[in-house]
Amino acid sequence: MAATQIQAKDEMFAMFKTAWDAGATAITTTVPPVYYHGVQKPTTPEANKYFAIMEMIVVDRSQATLAINVVNVGDRMYNNRGLLRLQVMCPLSDAENSDKGLRLCIVAREAFDGKRSPCGVLFRNAKVEPSLSTEVFSKHILTVQYEYNEIT
């Protein structure tokens, strides 16, 4: 199965959003807003609110072969690899911020662990890491490796 970069991004973000919307309210009582790469985030986040930032990072795109069984003979098949990165920002004003941040990342991780999207994006090696705190937020980071084929 093959996907375009736009299809792959849309499916990855949709898989995440479905899991996020279903699982986050059990942790923070409301669904924290998610800001996606390329979409303006608030200049000054509210210091007492959880929020997340999701981005797709392309690591490699290499030609794998000439595509077969396609409409246009001679099309090329590319193998695309990269990382999804989710940063969960947790207000330090909440005494349980570290635990909630970890639990929110686990909700997101479960959207990808051992799964494949409808257009064939394969996910592996999802991991959650705490990161350094700022003056206002602690941060937990989920990284997930992805791979898919694209025919052009």
Side-chain angles (χ1 to χ4, degrees):
M1 208 173 300
T4 67
Q5 186 170 352
I6 299 297
Q7 287 171 318
K9 175 188 67 75
D10 289 347
E11 285 191 359
M12 288 187 266
F13 287 178
M15 289 171 70
F16 159 72
K17 187 70 170 132
T18 299
W20 187 256
D21 289 350
T25 54
I27 299 165
T28 61
T29 66
T30 61
V31 177
V34 178
Y35 303 100
Y36 296 93
H37 181 72
V39 178
Q40 184 76 19
K41 67 179 182 200
T43 54
T44 308
E46 294 184 50
N48 62 343
K49 303 282 185 191
Y50 287 80
F51 69 96
I53 303 166
M54 171 67 92
E55 62 186 321
M56 175 182 165
I57 303 164
V58 177
V59 174
D60 183 50
R61 181 178 188 264
S62 56
Q63 184 174 341
T65 185
L66 292 176
I68 57 173
N69 298 326
V70 295
V71 176
N72 300 315
V73 175
D75 283 351
R76 290 168 174 81
M77 183 167 70
Y78 293 88
N79 182 260
N80 295 279
R81 294 186 178 115
L83 297 170
L84 280 179
R85 183 170 65 180
L86 175 72
Q87 299 175 69
V88 177
M89 306 302 287
C90 311
L92 293 177
S93 59
D94 182 348
E96 297 178 2
N97 71 75
S98 184
D99 179 60
K100 288 180 181 179
L102 176 62
R103 291 171 54 207
L104 285 167
C105 279
I106 290 169
V107 163
R109 183 184 69 195
E110 290 173 354
F112 302 110
D113 255 353
K115 296 198 171 84
R116 183 181 291 265
S117 80
C119 71
V121 180
L122 176 65
F123 304 97
R124 60 173 69 94
N125 301 328
K127 66 177 182 172
V128 177
E129 301 176 70
S131 184
L132 295 174
S133 297
T134 66
E135 293 179 13
V136 182
F137 295 100
S138 68
K139 179 169 41 173
H140 286 74
I141 299 173
L142 167 69
T143 54
V144 182
Q145 294 175 0
Y146 69 81
E147 181 175 352
Y148 67 94
N149 291 322
E150 178 180 9
I151 296 175
T152 61

